[in-house]
Amino acid sequence: MTKIYQDLLDSGLQFSSLIQGFSNVKPDYNLPSKVLFPSVASDVIHAIRFAEKHNLEISIKNSGHSLSGASSKKNTLHLNMNRYTHYAPDGITDCDPALLGTAVADDLSNQACLLALARGKPGVIRVGGGENFDKLYRAVIDANKALDKYKYHVVGGAAGTVSPMGWTFQGGNAGTMGGRRYGMGVDQVLQVEMVLPNGYHVKFGPTEWEDASAEGFLVPRTKVVSGVCRSNPDELDEEKWIWGVCPEDFAIEFGDLWFAVNGGGGGTWGVVTSVSLQLHDYLPYNFFRFRSWAEECPPLRPLYLEFVTKYLMAPSLLNVTNERSLACSTASNEWNLHCYGEEDVMQAWTNFLELERSNSTVPTEAVACLELRHSSDASSDDPIMSYPEMMSMDGNSNSRFPGKVVDGPPPFLLSSPPGFAFVLVQQAWIDESEENIDIFLKNMNVPSPAPIFYNAYGLLQACPIKPILCPNLFVVLLQWRISWLLTISMF
């Protein structure tokens, strides 16, 4: 048994059944027969060529956040990208507004910045194919701390061990990082660099776009996607890489590849070696939490869930503007709120309780059940500038990995509870009537096993497949088309 597996066992975590005898526990957990740790792109290129020559299937792992083995497979040549070049620590590029109006370079060297500027974003960060969100977040934190004031915000997942390669390209909710304001993970991608199954090392991204704000688009609409191939695949020095027109027999349409990767998963179509993500202008951060541990608060939880539902999905019922509603989102079944920019959470909560008090008995101390736990406001006792900083601070950070962004929640043995389906209730249905909000709220208070809620976008509910446990929601399912999150994009 390798030292890393022994460390996991010694940590006290329940990994023994997974590590000792995968084949006997569950066939799906079978480990690959051979593992490579590429450190540069040429390693990946030669691995793919070797696999093609010997008719081997390839599996790819970035962080391994999926304990159920979604990134590994038995009898495959496994590429573990954890040791691949880390770009994020020095990967931030400030995009000069003077670039606007210039042509995209033939080697796409300025393409990511041009697209970022067209979207009104200040910069770009390049992330390596083996980096996870802990590494990405800490790179942005370090860059901000090196400036006179915080400048950048990046959209990502809640857990440090989740990867920008898997999370982003499969949609990417961002309930802790302002997804309702900034868009899903897939919306952050500016450029992709990857090695394809044919062995070509390519990079590609939108090179022509048009304003479509009149049609409701928040960002320019992509018209043309272009790509280039590297002509010196054995060169180790990245400064000497040569990008140019792909060979005539390349036979891959970059537009199709762009839309396939952005929603269908990076590892599905090749090995992602880096991705360029847009950076946003920093906005103040506030973290609100419901004090479920306080003796007087648990009975008020149904009332709080009603408040959060209305704040996020029907803000006009609370006299809250849509803009201030979009500043907040949540990614937990406790429905703590992560807000970026101006919001009205405490004022709306106070007003909501006052209105409820006129119709029922609500204790005056109920207001205190919702607290502003952390804030970037310099006047607060302990300013916390962002969710990643909160998750890496003492008390939150894992004692075995101090200073790193921990998982919240930690990885599960299964990707979701058995027999549960995740669904996204449409805004249009919510807008129809307050009765529809009531239908959803009824389904939030079903007996155990209780649904899990994820409010990054709309009202995402994990509901037991058995209709008897969520009867009202299954009526809705029969009447309405439910949108799945895998391929939603703002483009």
Side-chain angles (χ1 to χ4, degrees):
M1 182 176 295
T2 63
K3 183 179 184 300
I4 188 170
Y5 286 161
Q6 188 60 52
D7 286 345
L8 287 173
L9 290 175
D10 293 343
S11 71
L13 300 175
Q14 300 301 311
F15 290 124
S16 58
S17 62
L18 295 177
I19 296 169
Q20 297 173 335
F22 278 79
S23 299
N24 296 327
V25 177
K26 192 173 188 294
D28 293 349
Y29 293 155
N30 288 344
L31 294 175
S33 52
K34 297 292 186 292
V35 180
L36 295 178
F37 291 86
S39 60
V40 292
S42 59
D43 292 342
V44 179
I45 294 169
H46 287 289
I48 289 179
R49 289 176 177 173
F50 177 87
E52 181 181 19
K53 179 179 179 180
H54 296 279
N55 196 29
L56 299 175
E57 187 176 357
I58 286 178
S59 59
I60 310 161
K61 184 189 296 292
N62 173 286
S63 65
H65 180 83
S66 171
L67 295 183
S68 63
S71 55
S72 61
K73 186 178 180 181
K74 185 179 181 180
N75 295 329
T76 62
L77 178 61
H78 184 67
L79 305 187
N80 187 313
M81 298 293 288
N82 192 254
R83 299 178 190 173
Y84 193 80
T85 306
H86 291 179
Y87 296 115
D90 301 305
I92 291 180
T93 299
D94 271 316
C95 297
D96 186 353
L99 284 174
L100 280 172
T102 62
V104 176
D106 290 341
D107 63 356
L108 302 189
S109 55
N110 64 351
Q111 176 268 336
C113 259
L114 285 172
L115 183 54
L117 290 169
R119 295 178 176 184
K121 307 306 177 184
V124 175
I125 185 166
R126 186 184 180 199
V127 188
E131 294 179 279
N132 57 22
F133 278 119
D134 165 66
K135 297 178 177 67
L136 169 59
Y137 288 151
R138 286 191 287 124
V140 174
I141 289 171
D142 290 343
N144 279 328
K145 288 183 175 180
L147 301 171
D148 293 334
K149 64 177 183 177
Y150 272 49
K151 181 177 181 178
Y152 307 112
H153 174 84
V154 66
V155 172
T161 66
V162 167
S163 133
M165 307 306 140
W167 179 91
T168 300
F169 293 123
Q170 293 184 67
N173 299 305
T176 60
M177 294 299 290
R180 296 181 70 240
R181 176 184 286 277
Y182 300 117
M184 300 182 75
V186 73
D187 298 315
Q188 313 306 314
V189 181
L190 302 170
Q191 184 184 94
V192 179
E193 178 191 307
M194 64 193 302
V195 179
L196 301 178
N198 59 11
Y200 282 100
H201 189 195
V202 301
K203 64 177 177 179
F204 54 98
T207 51
E208 291 185 28
W209 45 82
E210 63 184 0
D211 178 65
S213 56
E215 300 173 44
F217 286 80
L218 302 180
V219 296
R221 179 168 50 198
T222 296
K223 293 178 64 180
V224 176
V225 176
S226 303
V228 290
C229 293
R230 185 152 73 94
S231 60
N232 56 344
D234 292 325
E235 177 58 60
L236 300 180
D237 185 352
E238 190 164 339
E239 294 296 323
K240 299 178 181 179
W241 287 0
I242 301 174
W243 297 98
V245 177
C246 294
E248 291 184 3
D249 62 350
F250 182 68
I252 290 180
E253 212 288 310
F254 280 110
D256 292 341
L257 185 61
W258 173 259
F259 288 104
V261 169
N262 287 287
T268 306
W269 311 101
V271 182
V272 177
T273 50
S274 76
V275 59
S276 295
L277 304 173
Q278 63 188 9
L279 293 170
H280 304 267
D281 291 314
Y282 176 84
L283 290 175
Y285 171 66
N286 287 327
F287 171 59
F288 298 90
R289 69 176 180 181
F290 184 71
R291 300 174 68 243
S292 57
W293 64 92
E295 182 179 353
E296 67 277 10
C297 294
L300 296 171
R301 186 174 182 273
L303 204 58
Y304 173 67
L305 295 183
E306 178 182 350
F307 164 75
V308 173
T309 299
K310 290 180 177 178
Y311 191 95
L312 298 179
M313 294 300 290
S316 62
L317 297 178
L318 302 174
N319 292 320
V320 173
T321 66
N322 189 56
E323 178 70 16
R324 297 202 172 193
S325 167
L326 290 174
C328 302
S329 54
T330 179
S332 72
N333 56 356
E334 291 297 330
W335 285 34
N336 298 323
L337 287 168
H338 302 265
C339 302
Y340 296 84
E342 294 184 352
E343 39 73 19
D344 287 322
V345 172
M346 288 307 302
Q347 185 60 55
W349 172 241
T350 301
N351 294 342
F352 174 75
L353 290 177
E354 288 179 356
L355 183 62
E356 288 296 320
R357 233 176 251 120
S358 64
N359 301 319
S360 61
T361 304
V362 178
T364 55
E365 61 270 19
V367 173
C369 287
L370 179 62
E371 67 171 356
L372 175 58
R373 180 65 181 90
H374 292 296
S375 175
S376 59
D377 191 332
S379 63
S380 63
D381 294 336
D382 184 20
I384 298 295
M385 305 303 289
S386 65
Y387 168 80
E389 289 191 41
M390 178 177 71
M391 296 305 289
S392 61
M393 63 187 289
D394 292 343
N396 285 335
S397 185
N398 190 312
S399 60
R400 297 181 70 234
F401 308 103
K404 293 192 175 184
V405 180
V406 298
D407 286 353
F412 293 99
L413 297 184
L414 298 173
S415 58
S416 63
F420 279 61
F422 288 82
V423 295
L424 182 66
V425 180
Q426 292 185 337
Q427 179 71 54
W429 180 75
I430 290 292
D431 289 343
E432 279 191 354
S433 69
E434 289 188 49
E435 181 183 357
N436 290 346
I437 296 178
D438 293 335
I439 290 175
F440 183 82
L441 289 170
K442 288 177 182 178
N443 285 285
M444 283 193 286
N445 295 293
V446 299
S448 182
I452 299 171
F453 307 98
Y454 193 105
N455 252 64
Y457 303 86
L459 303 170
L460 178 62
Q461 180 176 31
C463 188
I465 292 298
K466 296 180 180 179
I468 190 65
L469 294 178
C470 284
N472 295 304
L473 186 59
F474 270 81
V475 170
V476 174
L477 288 173
L478 293 174
Q479 297 175 338
W480 281 83
R481 177 176 61 85
I482 302 300
S483 297
W484 293 85
L485 292 179
L486 293 180
T487 55
I488 293 176
S489 175
M490 288 158 52
F491 302 113

